[in-house]
Amino acid sequence: MKMSAGEKVFQVFLILFFTILSVAMIYPFLHVLSISLSTAKEALRPGLHFFPHEISLFAWKKVFTTNTVWLAFGNTVFRTVMGTFLSLIAMSLAAYPLSRKYLPHRSFYMTFIIITMFFSGGLIPSYLLIKSLGLVDSRWVLIIPGLISTYSMFILRNFYMGIPSELEDSAKMDGANDIRILFSVIIPLSKPVLATLALWSAVGHWNAWFDALIYLQDPDKIVLQTYLRRLVITAEGDPILPLRTPDMEPETVKAAVIMFTALPILILYPFLQRYFVKGVMVGSLKG
């Protein structure tokens, strides 16, 4: 179709807008990556850093040979994998009965759950609750309190409501109970929305630091984001940071740790991206 003059102007505006937006998002990554691969002299050079003019792998060698980084990385991987897996299981177990119209008092349960999206007890009551449950300084304190996201659970519930009830009736005629129907029929048909929610949950767990900062005191349980925060903001004397000399610059090591922290999620995203739009759109069709 031939576009009018107004439509052409709008198309040009969209292209310029999204080009500027893309550059604004991509440049910080390029800047940090360039600093991490630069020599101390190059890292201190004022101006834009799109790529290093003088390459040095000192910062990355320092990252890969520091035990604390790998300890924090392992703790974060454990939190992300276990947290995402258990979260999907818990949300599926909650969303499936709420998606069935024959559930007694379904409206009451829905209202009760929706309230939790807008009101919380606050930090101090939450800490006292966690302490009374004996979860302080436990790895599970990073997983159990946030096991179910109400918003994500409702998206999953809406998706389940869109699955034809005839499939469930057929399975019941074959002798399947509700648990068997959920895991053998419903979940296999829900891969797009589950992949989307898995991505949200994984990114949330990977980037979380505040709960670990509050509830964990054991240095062996430190997670990557908490370590990164300590390194960038407060830890000039951290063993990973070299002394500032003409040949060594702590900022290059900080930049390398930042990139090391961001890369796993950047690598994971393309594998789940194809499910992302489909899962969100299908999960929002029914209310």
Side-chain angles (χ1 to χ4, degrees):
M1 294 178 60
K2 187 177 180 179
M3 292 188 298
S4 64
E7 290 173 331
K8 291 180 180 179
V9 171
F10 184 66
Q11 288 288 332
V12 172
F13 171 78
L14 283 181
I15 293 172
L16 289 176
F17 174 77
F18 283 107
T19 300
I20 294 172
L21 186 65
S22 299
V23 171
M25 292 181 176
I26 293 173
Y27 171 69
F29 288 97
L30 294 178
H31 176 83
V32 175
L33 179 61
S34 175
I35 294 296
S36 71
L37 294 172
S38 298
T39 61
K41 179 181 177 182
E42 173 65 14
L44 295 174
R45 175 179 61 83
L48 300 177
H49 290 257
F50 286 102
F51 55 88
H53 297 286
E54 300 177 12
I55 296 178
S56 171
L57 298 178
F58 168 79
W60 285 94
K61 290 179 180 177
K62 194 72 174 176
V63 170
F64 286 122
T65 56
T66 301
N67 292 333
T68 307
V69 174
W70 289 109
L71 176 65
F73 179 81
N75 291 334
T76 304
V77 169
F78 172 81
R79 171 185 185 162
T80 302
V81 173
M82 290 298 298
T84 300
F85 174 74
L86 294 178
S87 181
L88 291 179
I89 295 296
M91 287 191 294
S92 295
L93 293 174
Y96 177 60
L98 290 173
S99 68
R100 304 299 96 178
K101 294 182 179 180
Y102 54 78
L103 176 70
H105 311 296
R106 187 175 72 146
S107 297
F108 169 77
Y109 297 136
M110 292 288 297
T111 303
F112 188 79
I113 294 172
I114 289 174
I115 291 175
T116 65
M117 294 181 63
F118 304 102
F119 301 97
S120 65
L123 180 59
I124 295 177
S126 297
Y127 183 86
L128 294 176
L129 175 62
I130 296 298
K131 185 177 180 180
S132 65
L133 294 174
L135 291 176
V136 173
D137 212 23
S138 167
R139 298 181 192 275
W140 297 104
V141 75
L142 308 178
I143 297 173
I144 294 177
L147 201 59
I148 293 181
S149 164
T150 305
Y151 178 75
S152 298
M153 191 271 290
F154 274 112
I155 290 180
L156 191 58
R157 165 189 171 268
N158 292 345
F159 187 94
Y160 288 168
M161 291 177 66
I163 296 176
S165 58
E166 290 79 8
L167 295 175
E168 183 179 358
D169 295 337
S170 177
K172 287 183 176 179
M173 291 178 63
D174 291 335
N177 56 25
D178 289 328
I179 296 296
R180 180 67 182 273
I181 292 172
L182 173 63
F183 287 96
S184 299
V185 178
I186 303 298
I187 288 181
L189 294 174
S190 307
K191 291 180 181 179
V193 69
L194 289 174
T196 301
L197 299 183
L199 179 62
W200 290 355
S201 180
V203 171
H205 278 293
W206 189 269
N207 290 334
W209 60 272
F210 189 65
D211 52 355
L213 183 68
I214 294 175
Y215 298 125
L216 297 181
Q217 287 86 42
D218 188 348
D220 290 335
K221 297 174 183 175
I222 189 172
V223 295
L224 202 54
Q225 297 294 345
T226 305
Y227 176 72
L228 177 61
R229 176 186 179 275
R230 188 184 75 187
L231 185 70
V232 173
I233 297 178
T234 63
E236 284 296 331
D238 193 282
I240 192 177
L241 296 178
L243 297 176
R244 182 174 278 109
T245 69
D247 298 320
M248 292 182 290
E249 172 59 40
E251 295 304 319
T252 61
V253 178
K254 292 180 181 180
V257 175
I258 292 173
M259 289 305 303
F260 180 80
T261 303
L263 280 177
I265 290 297
L266 293 177
I267 293 172
L268 175 66
Y269 181 79
F271 294 99
L272 298 178
Q273 187 269 341
R274 62 193 180 107
Y275 295 108
F276 189 79
V277 175
K278 182 179 178 182
V280 174
M281 293 299 293
V282 175
S284 62
L285 290 179
K286 286 195 174 184

